Amino acid sequence: MEEVPEAIRKCQRAGITVRMVTGDNINTARAIAIKCGIIHPGEDFLCLEGKEFNRRIRNEKGEIEQERIDKIWPKLRVLARSSPTDKHTLVKGIIDSTHTEQRQVVAVTGDGTNDGPALKKADVGFAMGIAGTDVAKEASDIILTDDNFSSIVKAVMWGRNVYDSISKFLQFQLTVNVVAVIVAFTGACITQDSPLKAVQMLWVNLIMDTFASLALATEPPTETLLLRKPYGRNKPLISRTMMKNILGHAVYQLTLIFTLLFVGEKMFQIDSGRNAPLHSPPSEHYTIIFNTFVMMQLFNEINARKIHGERNVFDGIFRNPIFCTIVLGTFAIQIVIVQFGGKPFSCSPLQLDQWMWCIFIGLGELVWGQVIATIPTSRLKFLKEAGRLTQKEEIPEEELNEDVEEIDHAERELRRGQILWFRGLNRIQTQIEVVNTFKSGASFQGALRRQSSVTSQSQDVASLSSPSRVSLSNALSSPTSLPPAAAGRECESLPPRVPPPPAPGGQEGRGRGARDSGGRRS
């Protein structure tokens, strides 16, 4: 296909190494690999046949050694004249390799029954939906409905986009959580009343959970996702750059919220809400704090679109209409809550200049985000990553035993697929034989019925009959007295009896019958 070289080039640019394992001749496989862009002249690579591959990875006793595989697979690009066992051995060797610091993630494509063990062993198995067998589809994780290699590139792009969408949402949600919890707890301890009321916190949670997840998780994938290296298998979900963004924006928001809490009434020349009675009407002071808090979250949601330290946080923002709709809709609902919410939302209507100050402080989140992006993450040694998997994962004993069995009996895995295939063929052949037997039995019984009817007619016409023919007629009229095969042989041994045409008169018929029988007696 014409799009295969371009798809392979995108995979290589994304940090994915493409290897070809085929049963073709080594020269044919090398020519195809060069045409597709898997190998390039002048590069340091290996093209091996199955026999040479097994000779290099096995010791004198014929046992596979991981150290020998580690010397081959980093440069191996083409494996020709290979068996299904060789493909499984290569996949297992790359997965179990200690050549690199991080464990390699292996994806395998296949369409045949023999590819089942390798598809099952791989981290991600791709089976062909059109040309693939049922065994390959059962052993795989993803089925390519169009049998196109470029679909693998789309799968990689969507996978990275889903991972980044989760990270974006976590970055935004953790920032809101840290600020909201500290403000509510500290404000209640110092002022005996939380600046953020219960209904206001419900609205903040709605922004933080439902709306943010829809806005940040619906970001469409772009080609820029393929311009970076893949994440490691044990890479933490919250990177150091994300932790820097979370703590940096939390510091900015907490600083301004506490500034408004303790000196806000002097800045805006309004009554303080800290010493208000318990059931007093909503104050402008606490309404400004609540409105500023929501404005900072709205603009920080734009910052959360980038998790790798990018400066242009507006890049591609209009390609996601859901994000734009949610941000503008949240802003409009916030205006309604502040201006018309009243006592249920503990809000007092604000003046235009107060609204401008709230929006201005919220816009400061974008400027502060550029300041945070300027600070190198490597300088912040105190930052820790979160969400990292343990190096030694706890594996259940049953899965461990299955893995040992798979390692020791790789050939058995291959034979399982062949056994299933042969069983299916045997069942189909048995069903065909049963259908043919029924068809032949039905036609034979029809012949018996026709023969019995002819015999009965001849008995009515003839006045006398030979004893041997009578016994034959009785045998033919009761086919259940003999097995079908025996009855068939008896019918084949005796030619069918053709009765004479009936005579117009009964006497003439009886005369013919008498002459016929008389002729037999003579």
Side-chain angles (χ1 to χ4, degrees), residues 74-367:
K75 296 182 180 180
L76 182 64
R77 295 295 180 270
V78 177
L79 183 59
R81 292 292 186 187
S82 62
S83 64
T85 307
D86 297 337
K87 192 171 186 178
H88 179 274
T89 301
L90 178 61
V91 173
K92 176 185 173 300
I94 297 176
I95 291 176
D96 297 340
S97 175
T98 57
H99 181 74
T100 55
E101 295 181 359
Q102 294 184 350
R103 176 195 176 293
Q104 297 294 311
V105 179
V106 182
V108 174
T109 61
D111 57 357
T113 302
N114 296 334
D115 296 328
L119 290 170
K120 186 177 181 181
K121 181 63 180 176
D123 295 298
V124 182
F126 291 93
M128 303 303 169
I130 300 175
T133 61
D134 292 337
V135 175
K137 293 177 183 179
E138 288 294 331
S140 65
D141 302 296
I142 300 175
I143 298 176
L144 303 179
T145 56
D146 56 356
D147 288 9
N148 197 336
F149 187 83
S150 60
S151 299
I152 299 178
V153 180
K154 295 179 182 178
V156 172
M157 189 165 60
W158 274 100
R160 294 187 178 187
N161 184 67
V162 170
Y163 188 96
D164 287 354
S165 297
I166 296 173
S167 299
K168 293 173 186 177
F169 175 67
L170 286 177
Q171 177 176 294
F172 175 75
Q173 189 182 41
L174 290 176
T175 304
V176 181
N177 276 335
V178 169
V179 177
V181 169
I182 293 178
V183 169
F185 179 77
T186 306
C189 293
I190 297 176
T191 65
Q192 305 300 320
D193 187 17
S194 174
L196 300 175
K197 308 303 180 182
V199 180
Q200 295 174 355
M201 287 298 294
L202 290 175
W203 169 239
V204 171
N205 283 328
L206 188 63
I207 299 174
M208 177 179 62
D209 295 334
T210 307
F211 292 162
S213 62
L214 289 174
L216 296 174
T218 55
E219 197 80 19
T222 59
E223 294 287 341
T224 56
L225 293 170
L226 301 176
L227 300 179
R228 58 172 175 83
K229 299 298 181 181
Y231 293 123
R233 185 179 180 86
N234 296 326
K235 187 182 184 302
L237 194 59
I238 301 175
S239 62
R240 297 181 63 190
T241 303
M242 293 173 57
M243 191 67 71
K244 178 185 70 174
N245 294 334
I246 292 170
L247 296 179
H249 289 289
V251 168
Y252 173 83
Q253 295 181 17
L254 287 173
T255 301
L256 290 175
I257 290 295
F258 284 124
T259 301
L260 293 175
L261 179 61
F262 294 106
V263 297
E265 70 276 9
K266 298 178 181 178
M267 295 171 56
F268 293 99
Q269 300 296 323
I270 55 177
D271 296 334
S272 175
R274 296 192 302 274
N275 299 322
L278 183 61
H279 297 288
S280 60
S283 63
E284 291 183 347
H285 184 198
Y286 277 10
T287 303
I288 291 175
I289 294 176
F290 166 64
N291 196 33
T292 303
F293 179 76
V294 173
M295 291 297 108
M296 287 191 294
Q297 305 314 320
L298 280 180
F299 289 100
N300 188 37
E301 194 169 354
I302 300 176
N303 283 326
R305 296 182 64 250
K306 304 299 178 181
I307 58 175
H308 299 292
E310 299 92 337
R311 289 188 173 275
N312 187 8
V313 295
F314 293 97
D315 182 26
I317 191 172
F318 295 109
R319 287 199 299 266
N320 188 5
I322 298 178
F323 181 89
C324 300
T325 303
I326 288 176
V327 171
L328 295 177
T330 304
F331 182 75
I333 295 175
Q334 179 67 18
I335 294 176
V336 174
I337 289 176
V338 171
Q339 297 299 120
F340 306 102
K343 194 170 183 180
F345 285 91
S346 302
C347 291
S348 177
L350 299 180
Q351 303 297 325
L352 182 61
D353 59 336
Q354 296 171 343
W355 267 101
M356 291 296 102
W357 274 106
C358 294
I359 296 175
F360 177 75
I361 295 174
L363 282 171
E365 273 284 353
L366 299 177
V367 180

Side-chain angles (χ1 to χ4, degrees), residues 354-387:
Q354 296 171 343
W355 267 101
M356 291 296 102
W357 274 106
C358 294
I359 296 175
F360 177 75
I361 295 174
L363 282 171
E365 273 284 353
L366 299 177
V367 180
W368 185 250
Q370 299 299 314
V371 175
I372 294 176
T374 307
I375 303 174
T377 307
S378 58
R379 300 286 184 88
L380 305 176
K381 303 294 184 181
F382 63 91
L383 292 178
K384 300 295 182 182
E385 299 170 331

Side-chain angles (χ1 to χ4, degrees), residues 22-36:
T22 178
D24 295 333
N25 183 274
I26 182 67
N27 297 323
T28 305
R30 186 186 289 108
I32 295 174
I34 293 175
K35 186 176 181 180
C36 293

